Amino acid sequence: MRILGIDPGIAIVGFGFIDKAGSKVTPVQYGCIQTEAHTPDEERLLHVYEAMLQLIDKYKPDSVAFEKLFFNRNVTTAMSVSQARGVLILAATQRGLPIAEYTPMQVKQAVVGYGKAEKKQVQEMVRMYLKLQAVPKPDDVADALAVAICHAHSYTLNSKINEVLRK
């Protein structure tokens, strides 16, 4: 199973593709989509949308996992990131991919084992879990991989629960 984890943003969209086979999880490709500051939002959104379609078409994930947005201060940033998230969901939906969402606390719990873990702890666990030489940069990329890992764990658990319920 191939999973695409996404950390949505308007300036930087972190993405991470991982393969899950049994209990083994391996990185496939990861990076970020960046847009230029001072560019009109509609152009930035188009760039994010088109770049995501290209990535989906190239790496062919079976499902997509997003980090749920959480904002407590800057409403302007929240609006821009929400719009970017919308075009990312649209790209995945147009390709017929199932979508899952996880809160930052759920991601931290799945990756570190503690829902209030620090960002550095999550990044280091992503590096160790995927056997990477260094923590992926920028932070958005490590966050996207953490979301993908969270989905890999949750998908396995949810599959087992559904299997039991079907019996």
Side-chain angles (χ1 to χ4, degrees):
M1 171 180 200
R2 180 159 292 171
I3 300 166
L4 167 57
I6 297 177
D7 181 31
I10 188 70
I12 301 173
V13 175
F15 68 86
F17 291 88
I18 62 172
D19 281 345
K20 178 174 175 25
S23 61
K24 186 176 180 187
V25 176
T26 54
V28 175
Q29 181 62 281
Y30 51 90
C32 62
I33 301 166
Q34 295 183 298
T35 64
E36 292 291 323
H38 311 295
T39 303
D41 278 358
E42 60 272 19
E43 290 179 30
R44 295 174 98 176
L45 292 169
L46 180 62
H47 175 73
V48 165
Y49 171 75
E50 289 177 340
M52 184 51 61
L53 283 177
Q54 289 176 351
L55 287 167
I56 289 170
D57 291 345
K58 182 173 183 178
Y59 294 102
K60 303 192 182 330
D62 298 302
S63 63
V64 181
F66 285 88
E67 184 170 57
K68 285 186 180 178
L69 300 181
F70 174 77
F71 290 97
N72 59 1
R73 288 193 192 106
N74 191 334
V75 175
T76 305
T77 301
M79 293 299 290
S80 294
V81 174
S82 295
Q83 290 174 330
R85 188 175 183 279
V87 300
L88 292 161
I89 290 171
L90 175 63
T93 302
Q94 282 186 325
R95 293 302 190 253
L97 298 171
I99 294 170
E101 298 178 297
Y102 301 96
T103 65
M105 188 175 276
Q106 287 173 307
V107 173
K108 291 173 183 179
Q109 179 70 39
V111 176
V112 180
Y114 177 59
K116 294 183 180 179
E118 296 293 322
K119 193 171 202 64
K120 295 284 186 212
Q121 291 173 295
V122 175
Q123 293 171 345
E124 183 59 21
M125 287 304 292
V126 165
R127 185 194 70 75
M128 290 171 52
Y129 194 78
L130 297 176
K131 299 175 178 71
L132 303 173
Q133 294 295 318
V135 171
K137 295 290 180 191
D139 292 352
D140 312 77
V141 178
D143 292 347
L145 286 166
V147 173
I149 292 167
C150 176
H151 185 62
H153 292 321
S154 298
Y155 179 83
T156 300
L157 177 62
N158 290 337
S159 295
K160 288 180 181 179
I161 290 170
N162 289 335
E163 189 177 305
V164 169
L165 292 175
R166 276 187 242 123
K167 291 182 181 180

